[in-house]
Amino acid sequence: MSTIGFIGAGHIGGTVARLAVAAGHDVVLSNRRGPETLAELVEELGPRARAATPVEAAQAGDLVVVTVPFKAYREVPVEPLRGKVVIDTNNYYPQRDGQFPELDDQSTTVSELLQAHLPESRVVKAFNNISFMHLGELARPSGDPERSALLIAGDDASAKQTVAAFFDSIGYDAEDVGPLAEGWRYDRDTPAYGTPYLAETAGPDEMWSPGTSRQATAETLRAALAQATR
């Protein structure tokens, strides 16, 4: 199995790490507050997990998950990620991140900005349109009729294959949306953001509540993507 590096270890990062460890991967976790602040999570995950600095996590990972607030994307280390596949989970929330004119005028996308920051890495956009609660609840083994899909976008076909294989190992199919420029189709406030994984009986505010998930197939996600407008 692979080693998965994490730059950021919040709700999404922690959930992906739990799924990765359950699938037999090793994980190296980091955040900007220091390895000692991750002791509780590392203890929970067991011997396949360790805490490190962001640079060390980037160096250690065969695949690296960047899951930091979007406003901090320029702090992601560049050199240790050269040549690596990087999963970008970021979403742009102006009320948290401040205004980014290039996103406000739709001249680029969140993951294209990270790709520009990491010019020699291969960025794939994923995990940004599902709540951490649903991500943890919906994982199913290959062949399970209740298996869900996750969306990916990226400019490198082999990188997307790598991410799809990782998804398969942690309990999900992959639905390819196309290049990074198409990633806006499942950004916040789009039909593909959160709702496909939310039970019909649950309200939008319950997206982070346990027991509110439902299966989202590739067909379901494609239908939501087709409704996206700018």
Side-chain angles (χ1 to χ4, degrees):
M1 287 294 183
S2 302
T3 296
I4 314 300
F6 289 83
I7 299 175
H11 287 313
I12 285 290
T15 301
V16 176
R18 290 181 184 95
L19 293 173
V21 166
H25 299 285
D26 295 322
V27 299
V28 182
L29 302 157
S30 73
N31 62 23
R32 53 181 164 176
R33 293 181 293 129
E36 65 280 0
T37 66
L38 295 166
E40 185 175 341
L41 179 57
V42 168
E43 183 178 3
E44 174 196 337
L45 293 174
R48 288 193 175 275
R50 66 181 175 91
T53 67
V55 168
E56 291 167 341
Q59 291 171 332
D62 300 307
L63 174 68
V64 179
V65 180
V66 171
T67 180
V68 298
F70 172 69
K71 62 184 177 182
Y73 84 89
R74 296 186 186 93
E75 299 173 20
V76 175
V78 176
E79 184 62 35
L81 291 173
R82 292 185 189 278
K84 295 195 176 186
V85 177
V86 174
I87 295 178
D88 176 28
T89 79
N90 287 335
N91 284 301
Y92 172 45
Y93 300 102
Q95 66 272 28
R96 177 197 67 185
D97 300 316
Q99 299 296 144
F100 283 72
E102 63 269 51
L103 295 178
D104 295 335
D105 68 14
Q106 301 177 352
S107 59
T108 189
T109 64
V110 169
S111 294
E112 285 179 294
L113 286 177
L114 182 63
Q115 180 67 83
H117 175 67
L118 302 172
E120 295 186 39
S121 303
R122 296 175 289 159
V123 173
V124 176
K125 181 184 180 76
F127 295 128
N128 70 294
N129 71 314
I130 184 171
S131 79
F132 74 93
M133 188 63 68
H134 296 164
L135 181 62
E137 289 181 345
L138 288 170
R140 299 288 189 277
S142 180
D144 191 306
E146 295 186 356
R147 201 179 214 211
S148 291
L150 296 171
L151 298 171
I152 59 173
D155 297 335
D156 185 283
S158 66
K160 288 192 282 190
Q161 290 173 356
T162 296
V163 173
F166 175 60
F167 281 4
D168 183 56
S169 74
I170 64 172
Y172 288 90
D173 294 330
E175 176 64 16
D176 189 349
V177 178
L180 287 177
E182 292 297 299
W184 67 270
R185 295 184 179 279
Y186 53 108
D187 278 343
R188 61 171 178 82
D189 299 332
T190 64
Y193 180 83
T195 304
Y197 303 98
L198 181 65
E200 293 181 0
T201 56
D205 293 340
E206 296 180 88
M207 198 174 295
W208 294 272
S209 300
T212 62
S213 61
R214 64 168 169 174
Q215 180 187 20
T217 64
E219 182 179 10
T220 299
L221 292 168
R222 285 194 293 269
L225 290 165
Q227 299 175 43
T229 58
R230 293 184 107 173

